[in-house]
Amino acid sequence: MRRVYMDANATTPLLPEVMEAMRPYWMERFGNASSIHLHGQQARASVDRARETLAEFFNCHAAEVVFNSGGTEGDNTAICGLLRPGDHFVTTSIEHSAILEAARRLADKGIETTFVAPRPSGLIDPEEIRRAIRPQTRLISVMLANNETGVLQPIEEIGEITRTGGAFFHIDAVQGAGKINLDVRRFGCHLATISAHKMHGPNGVGAMFVRRGTPIEPLLVGGSHERRRRAGTENVPGIVGFAKAADLAMQSLEDGTIPRLAALRDRLEAGILRIPGTGVNGAQAQRMGAPGPDFRTWESTNPVPRVANTTNIWFDHLEGEALVIALDLKGVAVSGGSACHSGATEPSHVLMAMGLDKTRARASLRFSLLRTTTEADVDYVLQVVPEAVERLRQLSPVVAGTLG
Ligand code: PLP
């Protein structure tokens, strides 16, 4: 049976070049980067080179790159490393649970959080961020791209607002990295978090941009690694692999890969939307009727920006989970919500925050393409999805009465 993986936002496979770059570091070049002998010096030089690559990726100085274990650690570090009792935190209700749960934990320590809701389109209105800021606001954290819908947030506008408000600004760039150009200077942020396994690098390694002078406390203490910003022996093979993945991602932003991926995603989306009773979550802004401030006018006349690889589609009259399983049996891997919550039966908090009702949120699927996804992969998915949807709907008593 043909197998098509369309769950890139959950994780991605290593590209062969990444595997090759990492290979020597498991056995021959196994040194601890803190050791002063030759093995240690080799490991240190490799980590330093990787740091230069990540600095280019973020558009920052090498000294502003901190390696860690991935997106969850980066998100937790931004929040727990900056906020103190009495501080106020502003974030959005569509963030990853690594942000939301960290914020909930800090509530017990006297740190209050305002969760800004998205517009029905999935976009965060920068004005809502401005309105949420108080004199005690110390940190604002907004994701670059949403993991479920792929919607890209107006980060530069939000960065501008945080500059005037005097708070620190963190971006969870885990789902934007490798899909759009990261430029922390342009974004105007103090902190940014990325994760290797979302961009064809290895699992369990990530990096943070920490702008020089940002007074962040480390989450992990012990050794003086990473300029005392993250203790623990460096994961040298992981870091080397991450740098290779970042290098390849930078190339793919220049070589036509992204428009190719967007065209494939659009074809997939258009094909699925031919099925009656379907629609896209987060693609078109809902027209809001009443004239509003500029952002809303813009939002109602422009397509909502999304990363090229993602589409999130609702299917009326079926359970999303049943469709995920039916597609899996046909060799197609997709996700019925955030993969990080798999096993949970609650409907997606992102789709609910956008105003979908529980039934429609539960009946939504995320298709997220790999950089290596082909035309033939899309053809296969377009062959099996309509069949699976029709079969499941025939089993549903509701459908018999509505769609005939
Ligand atoms: N932030 C976002 C937006 C994510 O999508 C994820 C993972 O899905 C994370 C953070 C957590 O990253 P990691 O899996 O590297 O811990």
Side-chain angles (χ1 to χ4, degrees):
M1 183 175 46
R2 191 182 175 98
R3 293 230 161 249
V4 177
Y5 181 86
M6 283 207 180
D7 203 12
N9 292 8
T11 196
T12 57
L14 293 192
L15 290 171
E17 298 92 324
V18 175
M19 182 69 212
E20 280 316 306
M22 293 171 74
R23 197 185 294 281
Y25 290 87
W26 300 110
M27 292 179 76
E28 301 112 68
R29 298 194 212 157
F30 60 90
N32 181 325
S34 300
S35 303
I36 54 174
H37 47 61
L38 180 70
H39 301 276
Q41 285 174 31
Q42 283 175 339
R44 167 64 47 217
S46 303
V47 171
D48 287 347
R49 275 197 301 277
R51 200 182 302 284
E52 292 288 344
T53 305
L54 266 298
E56 193 189 338
F57 190 71
F58 277 122
N59 187 26
C60 69
H61 299 292
E64 293 174 311
V65 175
V66 178
F67 287 113
N68 62 19
S69 69
T72 300
E73 185 182 330
D75 285 347
N76 280 210
T77 303
I79 294 173
C80 304
L82 266 178
L83 293 166
R84 298 289 163 263
D87 287 342
H88 175 240
F89 174 41
V90 176
T91 188
T92 81
S93 52
I94 56 169
E95 299 297 308
H96 189 266
S97 51
I99 294 282
L100 299 177
E101 287 305 314
R104 285 188 193 117
R105 243 190 187 195
L106 290 188
D108 302 338
K109 298 194 172 143
I111 295 160
E112 207 191 317
T113 302
T114 301
F115 297 96
V116 173
R119 309 266 308 138
S121 62
L123 277 170
I124 299 294
D125 180 347
E127 279 310 309
E128 293 294 324
I129 298 284
R130 191 197 300 278
R131 267 193 281 279
I133 296 175
R134 305 176 189 167
Q136 305 81 3
T137 306
R138 182 162 165 85
L139 178 65
I140 294 163
S141 184
V142 179
M143 67 201 327
L144 177 58
N146 183 266
N147 41 313
E148 296 192 34
T149 60
V151 170
L152 281 160
Q153 301 302 338
I155 288 295
E156 281 176 63
E157 288 84 342
I158 296 171
E160 194 63 46
I161 288 168
T162 62
R163 250 197 298 281
T164 49
F168 293 103
F169 182 31
H170 169 247
I171 300 172
D172 175 341
V174 169
Q175 294 290 350
K179 299 170 190 165
I180 65 162
N181 223 340
L182 278 198
D183 184 342
V184 291
R185 302 279 172 232
R186 187 160 52 81
F187 293 158
C189 60
H190 301 83
L191 300 158
T193 291
I194 60 173
S195 179
H197 77 105
K198 306 289 188 184
M199 40 187 277
H200 296 279
N203 249 306
V205 58
M208 259 190 124
F209 156 71
V210 179
R211 195 199 285 182
R212 205 173 273 166
T214 307
I216 191 152
E217 288 287 323
L219 208 59
L220 302 180
V221 292
S224 56
H225 311 88
E226 300 296 305
R227 297 173 179 243
R228 297 202 168 274
R229 290 168 299 183
R230 200 273 185 179
T233 302
E234 293 89 343
N235 170 2
V236 181
I239 288 170
V240 168
F242 191 9
K244 190 67 196 177
D247 200 25
L248 294 170
M250 286 189 281
Q251 287 174 33
S252 76
L253 291 172
E254 305 280 314
D255 69 4
T257 299
I258 301 299
R260 184 190 70 84
L261 211 51
L264 282 180
R265 187 271 313 273
D266 291 347
R267 191 158 76 78
L268 174 76
E269 193 170 87
I272 296 177
L273 291 179
R274 276 192 216 114
I275 303 170
T278 56
V280 176
N281 297 315
Q284 295 95 12
Q286 326 273 324
R287 287 179 184 274
M288 302 311 289
D294 280 346
F295 177 78
R296 294 188 181 190
T297 313
W298 174 87
E299 187 202 29
S300 65
T301 50
N302 285 279
V304 169
R306 286 183 295 171
V307 284
N309 80 320
T310 308
T311 178
N312 191 306
I313 299 182
W314 52 262
F315 298 81
D316 271 348
H317 310 299
L318 54 78
E319 269 289 332
E321 214 154 287
L323 185 52
V324 171
I325 294 166
L327 293 178
D328 190 36
L329 292 172
K330 291 284 180 192
V332 174
V334 297
S335 169
S338 176
C340 302
H341 300 297
S342 55
T345 50
E346 281 302 299
S348 144
H349 70 280
V350 173
L351 300 180
M352 296 292 286
M354 287 162 62
L356 271 74
D357 64 33
K358 277 192 178 186
T359 311
R360 188 163 273 183
R362 279 214 173 89
S364 294
L365 252 60
R366 175 184 75 190
F367 299 78
S368 50
L369 282 61
L370 294 168
R371 221 180 292 154
T372 49
T373 297
T374 62
E375 292 273 350
D377 292 334
V378 170
D379 289 342
Y380 183 65
V381 174
L382 285 178
Q383 177 195 323
V384 300
V385 171
E387 290 166 5
V389 170
E390 193 177 332
R391 211 164 352 98
L392 287 172
R393 281 180 174 171
Q394 274 166 5
L395 297 174
S396 158
V398 188
V399 182
T402 49
L403 296 177

